[in-house]
Amino acid sequence: MTLGVKDIASDGHHVRVRLLTSRYTDLSIRYWPWRANYDGYGTAKVWETTVQDAVDGIYNVGVEVATFEGDDRLHYCTDWF
């Protein structure tokens, strides 16, 4: 799986992206670790990763993208596929 994020705002904040999965049996959401782009406006980062939920399988996959100031999440967007 490939995750990527690009900083498109010259606002001095950094951006992060993370994977979300929901489990098959109860649809509970697992929030995977954030991947951060600290390199500033106009830069992009891409990560190759794998995902597996051995408990009961993955029902759905989503992604969350956010703007951060330090460790404070300012704005975010979530989408499920």
Side-chain angles (χ1 to χ4, degrees), residues 19-41:
L19 183 67
L20 310 174
T21 55
S22 62
R23 292 194 171 122
Y24 227 95
T25 55
D26 63 2
L27 301 181
S28 63
I29 298 173
R30 180 169 179 182
Y31 297 87
W32 296 83
W34 286 106
R35 309 290 179 120
N37 176 2
Y38 296 105
D39 294 342
Y41 172 67

Side-chain angles (χ1 to χ4, degrees), residues 48-69:
E48 297 292 328
T49 188
T50 59
V51 61
Q52 178 179 345
D53 192 331
V55 174
D56 56 8
I58 294 172
Y59 175 74
N60 207 354
V61 176
V63 65
E64 184 173 12
V65 178
T67 303
F68 278 78
E69 178 61 38

Side-chain angles (χ1 to χ4, degrees), residues 9 13 24 43 46 59 66 70:
H13 304 299
Y24 227 95
T43 64
V46 175
Y59 175 74

